[in-house]
Amino acid sequence: MKRLAVVGSTGSIGQNTLRVVEHLSDRFRIFALAANSAVDRLAEQTAAFHPAVVGIRDGGRVDEFVIQCQKRRISIPEVVTGEEGLRQIASAPEVDIVVSAAVGAAGLSPTYSAVASGKTVALANKEAMVVAGELLRKTAEKSGARIIPVDSEHSAVDQCLRSGRKNEVRRLILTASGGPFRETRVEQFEKISPEEALKHPVWQMGKRITVDSATLMNKGLEVIEARWLFDIPSEKIDIMVHPQSIVHSMVEFVDGSVVAQLGTADMRQPIQYALTYPERLPSSVPHLDWTTVSRLDFAPPDPKKFPCISLAYRAIEMSGTAPAVLNAADEVAVELFLERKIVFSDIPNLIASTLEAHKTKIADSLESVTEADSWARQRACGWLS
Ligand code: MG
């Protein structure tokens, strides 16, 4: 029986994780659940999974959580709050696997705690690897933590890499659905509304990642994530637009052989893989119906339409704190776009301007990364004036 801590349990990955735990209830038990502020859902999950500890990042929501538990007539678990509470949960000695699924930069500090305490970390919070990839990698080497990606592309790469040795890899090919504007003319981009950008053709996800999928910044961030997860230079990481989203990513080996991972677009698959690794178990995910797969298309992304991709490669080249700046500037740009303060085509301009103004430092501590993050947020917010 493995004991789990799910940080970010009320978001889309968190909820899917609990569905996997429910399906494999003879293998996994929930020790702790943590959320930012959605205490309603957290109480519902507490009633269903009986965690010993619950973390609520927004301490002001604890009373409401207690009321929600009383309404459901369930005993109230130990409650910890704030970032410190989340770190406590992620490093608790009772926990075997930490599912790191908090959204955005908020996931960094609990992820770091989990890695530093040598846990197995099922990593869905890609920002942690983007802003502090090098630090997390080095920390894992010291603590013996194992980081298993939950992001569908990286889970696919992880699975494909098991076909060969590291020095036999020629390149990683991350696939991208291309988002909702794959066929939209670049001249139309400034007229794209938040509602249009929030309609993703394949995946149901949070707001920021959905807009990031429309600008393809999501894929740029995934290149950075892959660079650190698999310790491979960015020159060996390519992106291919694949609108059917059936091939979740591929690895090309030096002998010319390409190994791909395919499946239905259901996050429970990569989540379960991360939890049961290195084993595979029957899952409740619908199997790929080959009678409906008529074709698989691939094309390189258009750099003129999606400049966010080259910005991500630029951030890797600048190294150090630059990826943290890229991520923070993007988060601000997406917020401003959703608030209709900037247009869709301004998103890459705002990020580029912030990145170029940054003086890169070595990212060897959480402090240096969070400092760069705050600097970038301030700078990006000032872009409007
Ligand atoms: Mg992904």
Side-chain angles (χ1 to χ4, degrees), residues 126 151-153 218-219 222:
K126 76 182 69 184
D151 208 350
S152 61
E153 293 78 2
N218 182 49
K219 215 46 57 176
E222 287 179 355

Side-chain angles (χ1 to χ4, degrees), residues 329-344:
D330 175 62
E331 205 168 303
V332 172
V334 169
E335 270 166 36
L336 293 175
F337 166 67
L338 291 175
E339 289 166 8
R340 291 170 217 274
K341 288 183 180 148
I342 63 172
V343 296
F344 187 78

Side-chain angles (χ1 to χ4, degrees), residues 78-154:
E78 181 191 342
V79 179
V80 294
T81 57
E83 214 170 69
E84 176 54 32
L86 266 52
R87 278 200 296 267
Q88 246 173 294
I89 282 179
S91 57
E94 293 90 342
V95 170
D96 302 301
I97 304 177
V98 176
V99 178
S100 167
V103 178
L108 175 58
S109 140
T111 304
Y112 179 78
S113 291
V115 171
S117 347
K119 305 289 184 201
T120 294
V121 182
L123 184 68
N125 172 270
K126 76 182 69 184
E127 287 85 353
M129 221 49 190
V130 169
V131 307
E134 189 170 14
L135 176 66
L136 288 173
R137 212 189 148 73
K138 284 185 179 154
T139 309
E141 272 164 24
K142 263 188 248 155
S143 71
R146 179 186 276 144
I147 305 174
I148 307 167
V150 166
D151 208 350
S152 61
E153 293 78 2
H154 303 78

Side-chain angles (χ1 to χ4, degrees), residues 208-229:
R208 180 192 171 195
I209 188 170
T210 306
V211 176
D212 279 349
S213 301
T215 61
L216 292 202
M217 178 53 100
N218 182 49
K219 215 46 57 176
L221 297 177
E222 287 179 355
V223 170
I224 304 177
E225 192 186 355
R227 190 259 168 272
W228 293 116
L229 271 173

Side-chain angles (χ1 to χ4, degrees), residues 24 32 66 102 119 137 153 168 186 208 241 254 265 286 310 347 350 377:
L24 298 175
V66 171
K119 305 289 184 201
R137 212 189 148 73
E153 293 78 2
E168 296 166 347
V186 69
R208 180 192 171 195
V241 172
V254 285
S310 20
I347 295 175
L350 189 160
R377 276 169 211 276

Side-chain angles (χ1 to χ4, degrees), residues 184-243:
T184 309
R185 294 207 334 271
V186 69
E187 299 77 39
Q188 303 290 320
F189 269 36
E190 56 178 32
K191 295 199 193 84
I192 290 169
S193 72
E195 291 74 21
E196 290 170 310
L198 287 173
K199 268 188 218 131
H200 193 272
V202 185
W203 299 95
Q204 284 296 318
M205 306 172 290
K207 275 187 183 174
R208 180 192 171 195
I209 188 170
T210 306
V211 176
D212 279 349
S213 301
T215 61
L216 292 202
M217 178 53 100
N218 182 49
K219 215 46 57 176
L221 297 177
E222 287 179 355
V223 170
I224 304 177
E225 192 186 355
R227 190 259 168 272
W228 293 116
L229 271 173
F230 306 114
D231 191 24
I232 192 160
S234 58
E235 305 88 76
K236 289 188 172 184
I237 309 171
D238 287 336
I239 298 169
M240 279 306 232
V241 172
H242 166 49

